[in-house]
Amino acid sequence: MAKSRNNLLGVGGQRKKLSRAEQQGAGTARNDDRKAAEDKKQELVRKMRERAAAAAEASPEQDAPAGS
């Protein structure tokens, strides 16, 4: 039987089976890792925005026409 490209059933993967402790809110170290990764991402985004803002402030001074 040929594979159907239009049938996306099951494409999302499977959910992880949660232990009783995880169901009650006492997550594993994986939750701490996820939080640390999110914090690093937020810090990186903040730095990139600061650099973009600094570049945007410096840009208009260089783009101004000298003869007009």
Side-chain angles (χ1 to χ4, degrees):
M1 179 185 254
K3 217 176 190 184
S4 172
R5 299 276 182 205
N6 296 328
N7 184 8
L8 297 177
L9 182 65
V11 167
Q14 294 182 349
R15 293 185 183 188
K16 179 187 175 295
K17 302 277 192 223
L18 294 176
S19 69
R20 188 174 299 227
E22 287 174 326
Q23 289 175 358
Q24 295 175 354
T28 62
R30 184 177 60 203
N31 293 337
D32 294 335
D33 293 341
R34 192 175 295 143
K35 178 72 172 149
E38 183 65 26
D39 291 342
K40 286 180 185 178
K41 180 179 176 182
Q42 291 297 328
E43 182 68 18
L44 179 63
V45 168
R46 184 187 64 80
K47 287 180 182 179
M48 290 175 67
R49 285 186 179 149
E50 287 178 357
R51 289 179 186 163
E57 289 175 6
S59 229
E61 296 170 2
Q62 296 173 355
D63 292 340
S68 305

